[in-house]
Amino acid sequence: MPRFSPESPSPRTAPGPFARARARLGVRGWGAALLAAFVALALGASGALAQDWGEAASPSRARMVMEDSNPPIVVEADWVGYSESGETLEFKGGVVITRGDEYVFGDRALWHEPTRSAEIAGNVRVVTRDFTATAQRATMNMDLMLAKIYDGRAFFPARHYYVAGSLLERRGPETLYVSHGVFTTCDGPEPSWSLTAEKLVVNRDGVAESTGVTVRNAYFPMLYLPYLLVPVKTERQSGFLLPQFASSTRDGVMLALPFFWALKEDYDLTILPIYRSSRGLALTLEARYNLELGEGIWIGTFLRDRKDNFYELKSEGFASRNTREHFWLRAQNNWEVAGWDLNLDLDVVSDPLFIYAFRNDPDGFFYSRDLFGRYFGRTLNEELDPTRLSTFFAQRSSEDAYFRGTLSYARNLYRAGNVDTLQNIPSLFYSVVSRPLALGLFGAEAAAPRWSLDLRYDYYDRRTDGASFVDETGHRLIVAPSLFWQTDLAGAFSLRTSAALDFTLYNPDGHRPTAQGREPHDSFEEGLVGEAEVELSTTLGKVYYHDDGTATQHLFTPVVSFTFRNGPDQDRLPFFDRLDRQLNQRTLRYGFWNTFTLRSPARIGPEETEGYEYLQLLRLGVFHSYEFASNLKWADRSYARYFTSGYFDKGSGPLEIEAEANFNPYVTARILSSLDGRSGAFTSHDFSLNLKDGRGDSLNLIYDFEKPRRERGPITQDAVNQARGQLNVNFGGGWSTMMAARYDMEEKRSLETLISLRYNTQCYGLSLVWEDSHDDRRVAFLVNLLGLGSFGNSSSTSGNIY
């Protein structure tokens, strides 16, 4: 039963019918009203009532509680009245209706008992956990959960969007109808952009279905669509996404209109047709699923090209080829079945030009690479890599054992018929991981030695023809027990030792390469290699305290190690990968790590405790090696590539330098360099410099250099000598620019240049992009409407060349 609060006296007791009305009001009335999506309810003129009113008025505010509602409904007002028939209640003056954490405010409120409907009028405002709403007048039926809200506007903070209309009509618990509606994510009475619709239907699942749609800015219409689905919550929703477009000298005008289809809660499909005026129509299907079994993404693209595309294969002994039908299937999957982790990755493409040609487009390489990296933490082979690898991977691990099985298929796009490409089907690996052997050798406090056992089986196959020089295939079994021990000596030195035996058994077919040519393999070949390594290190350090409360720690860690590997001559064995043909080794390696770390008092916030912040100012490593073993008899240039070794003669090894400097939070630099100790020439550089400031400006510079060399096996690696850079400048007022470039230092020519000008406000952004590469020049325009999506060519604005 409703009751007046003790501090609010009631001058008149309501008759029986009024008491009954109040009792029924508690459960069926206001509770249903506050469950409505827009309970911002309003009432017309109170003169519509022509009844004899009782009243409850007082200098103090009246307060009524509907206790038979859960949670109770509390109504406060300056004045409360009722009709003599008991069919109508009226509240006036600062009306506040509360139910739990939901509030409704208005100037006046009426309740009609016979129709079970309520009216609220005058400065109506609703506050809930999900939205706030304002209106001038509304009516609703509590039992049927129907409502009509006139001149209403609602704000949903979770996705920062507004919905307004001349009529907001709730047609049951699952549907909200808006007549002449407006949707926007912009604040203020005059939004920078808005979506107006003749009819807007918002369903309970969070999708707004609209007809007669016009997308407009603050001044004029920009785009008309007869039909559009707009997601109004974070979950997936079916519907057309906004179009993307660009223009290039090679492909002509590009137009893409993606459609997202939320088939069910656990899987969906994106259909992406892309029309290029000079190339034709391409179709991409992107399917995703997330089931109890696991998750995966499959993307397939097909294009029947209008242009003939030629690529040269003369270096591989083949003539030029052309292709018009392009396809590319890529997929990544993670599953878990009965304690097994399963992965399936696919990368199947028709020709080497397709991935590179459209790498920046919505169906291109960079989109797929970033998508897979974001969801699975692994990515595709680089776009210029002609070898595309598809793999099925299964693994299972326990506390001290591990098993992995792999099926892989490699396709070299530059090899006609995939001739000579080595296939590893299958590869099985089992490891007993690091079990203790015995008690510590130097007392109870010393660490005990630990042993491991690795077992590996591989089967290698390849397709060959009459021109093939290497045709080795067959089975390989490796048994590799090992010991590892690490302990402290005299509390000052760290000693690490390891020893291993690699017994390898082959059942090969075909011919092995030799310095004189080729020789047929025996039915079985075996190799036994022993390896041991000893490493000794120590750390010297000192802390320097400064007057400003900061301190700098200096650590100097010298390291010396010796690696010994010995076995019989390996030239009779097959060569499949880096585990084969391991030459003798007697390598002394020595160097140091030098680090400086700054400690400063932490910046204390309102909820933070006292502490310290640490910044590693410098980390410098310098290492050199010397090789005592000689393998000169295998050093022939054409034959040396069939061995796992860097040097074939005794003498100085490479000088390796690694440095990382953080001068302050705004300036960082990193360099990795390798110097050939015999020729005195650098063989590789990897240098990066990063500058930034507090307002968002940044400059990133990278220099890559790698001397051409022979890889292990029949693949030759080209030289790399490139400089890359990216500059971001924030002009203020929402304006910014990004410039990125890639330059070939060897050939003295620009490879790619990208410049974009951006403008961003609270609810929308604009980007103008110019891109120039060796075979194409492109201009793109992107409009990003916050909360609605983007149209233009978003891939071209990401600075992927960096």
Side-chain angles (χ1 to χ4, degrees), residues 495-518:
L495 176 66
R496 184 177 67 87
T497 61
S498 63
L501 286 175
D502 284 0
F503 174 72
T504 308
L505 179 64
Y506 298 90
N507 177 215
D509 289 321
H511 299 77
R512 59 171 170 261
T514 68
Q516 292 76 33
R518 306 192 309 171

Side-chain angles (χ1 to χ4, degrees), residues 531-551:
E531 183 176 336
E533 182 177 353
V534 179
E535 180 184 282
L536 183 65
S537 64
T538 188
T539 299
L540 307 174
K542 186 174 182 179
V543 178
Y544 302 90
Y545 296 94
H546 311 299
D547 295 338
D548 59 358
T550 62

Side-chain angles (χ1 to χ4, degrees), residues 583-631:
L583 296 180
N584 293 340
Q585 183 179 353
R586 316 280 193 273
T587 307
L588 177 66
R589 188 172 186 264
Y590 47 91
F592 63 86
W593 288 106
N594 209 17
T595 61
F596 291 87
T597 304
L598 177 67
R599 187 188 73 178
S600 57
R603 297 180 180 89
I604 305 302
E607 298 181 358
E608 296 179 359
T609 59
E610 295 185 3
Y612 294 98
E613 294 178 342
Y614 296 88
L615 175 65
Q616 189 176 82
L617 300 175
L618 176 66
R619 182 175 185 265
L620 172 65
V622 179
F623 287 89
H624 185 249
S625 63
Y626 189 89
E627 181 60 57
F628 292 93
S630 177
N631 298 286

Side-chain angles (χ1 to χ4, degrees), residues 407-419:
L407 299 174
S408 61
Y409 179 78
R411 182 164 183 258
N412 189 335
L413 302 178
Y414 287 136
R415 299 280 190 170
N418 209 26
V419 171

